[in-house]
């Protein structure tokens, strides 16, 4: 009951994405998903391929993502078991930025609808994600992702617990 209440309160606290997004925000998210849905060359090192996206993230979030991607169940007893760019374990086919909240200082939140499905077919129900971006050094960088469907949670805090578990 408490988790349902907490989820409801978090969902209410998420600002409405009722404004157009700055071009730089759309470019970062669109570019990420263009890379993400591109067929993977089995000869390419997955970590090296992911490193090509470094400029889209704040340094601290990118570091957490790299560390989490390198965890293995056999060695670490834990691992990243879902696609962080869709909050699913199925294929991602694309994404669309649907709006942004009002810019506050150097940050903005962009709501994204992610098209997912199985066996080459969209489920028809997009996953809703809220990207938190910071504008520093002249460009927007992804600083966090909040997953809005089912159990609402944030990527950054999840990764911190996954990468640096407390005994």
């Amino acid at each position: 009951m408490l988790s349902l209440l907490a989820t409801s309160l978090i969902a209410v606290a998420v600002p409405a994405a009722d404004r157009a997004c700055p071009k730089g925000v759309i470019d970062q998210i669109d570019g990420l998903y263009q890379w993400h849905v591109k067929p993977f060359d089995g000869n390419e090192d997955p970590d090296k391929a992911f490193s090509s996206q470094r400029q889209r993230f704040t340094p601290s979030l990118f570091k957490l993502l790299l560390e989490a991607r390198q965890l293995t169940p056999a060695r670490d007893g834990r691992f990243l078991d879902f696609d962080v760019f869709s909050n699913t374990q199925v294929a991602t086919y694309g994404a669309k930025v649907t709006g942004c909240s009002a810019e506050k200082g150097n940050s903005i939140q962009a709501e994204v609808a992610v098209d997912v499905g199985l066996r080459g077919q969209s489920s028809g129900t997009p996953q809703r994600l809220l990207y938190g971006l910071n504008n520093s050094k002249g460009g927007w960088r992804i600083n966090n992702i909040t997953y809005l469907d089912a159990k609402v949670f944030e990527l950054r805090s999840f990764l911190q617990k996954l990468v640096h578990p407390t005994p």
Side-chain angles (χ1 to χ4, degrees):
M1 183 69 167
L2 284 177
S3 66
L4 179 61
L5 178 61
T7 299
S8 299
L9 291 174
I10 291 170
V12 170
V14 173
D18 58 358
R19 300 173 187 259
C21 296
K23 182 178 178 343
V25 168
I26 294 170
D27 289 348
Q28 284 292 48
I29 295 170
D30 283 352
L32 174 66
Y33 281 96
Q34 286 172 8
W35 167 81
H36 187 58
V37 301
K38 180 179 70 173
F40 182 69
D41 175 3
N43 296 324
E44 191 174 9
D45 175 12
D47 290 331
K48 189 173 185 176
F50 181 65
S51 290
S52 71
Q53 301 303 300
R54 177 184 304 266
Q55 79 285 359
R56 298 191 191 286
F57 300 92
T58 59
S60 60
L61 182 58
F62 187 78
K63 182 177 185 272
L64 283 170
L65 283 165
L66 270 182
E67 290 173 344
R69 290 171 56 96
Q70 294 170 354
L71 294 172
T72 65
R75 182 188 66 224
D76 305 299
R78 59 196 188 287
F79 66 106
L80 193 56
D81 66 345
F82 70 101
D83 176 359
V84 299
F85 305 121
S86 70
N87 190 28
T88 67
Q89 294 178 329
V90 299
T92 300
Y93 299 114
K96 179 176 176 36
V97 178
T98 58
C100 282
S101 62
E103 203 172 323
K104 293 181 183 171
N106 72 337
S107 66
I108 197 167
Q109 292 187 327
E111 191 167 314
V112 178
V114 182
D115 186 23
V116 299
L118 289 171
R119 297 184 205 110
Q121 186 173 356
S122 172
S123 70
T125 305
Q127 294 292 109
R128 295 174 40 242
L129 280 62
L130 191 64
Y131 276 73
L133 293 95
N134 292 346
N135 192 353
S136 61
K137 299 180 184 172
W140 290 101
R141 302 290 179 258
I142 300 163
N143 188 50
N144 203 1
I145 302 173
T146 302
Y147 305 104
L148 301 177
D149 293 314
K151 179 184 172 192
V152 175
F153 70 102
E154 292 185 346
L155 177 63
R156 181 179 286 279
S157 59
F158 172 80
L159 291 177
Q160 287 169 334
K161 291 174 187 168
L162 181 68
V163 171
H164 307 290
T166 53

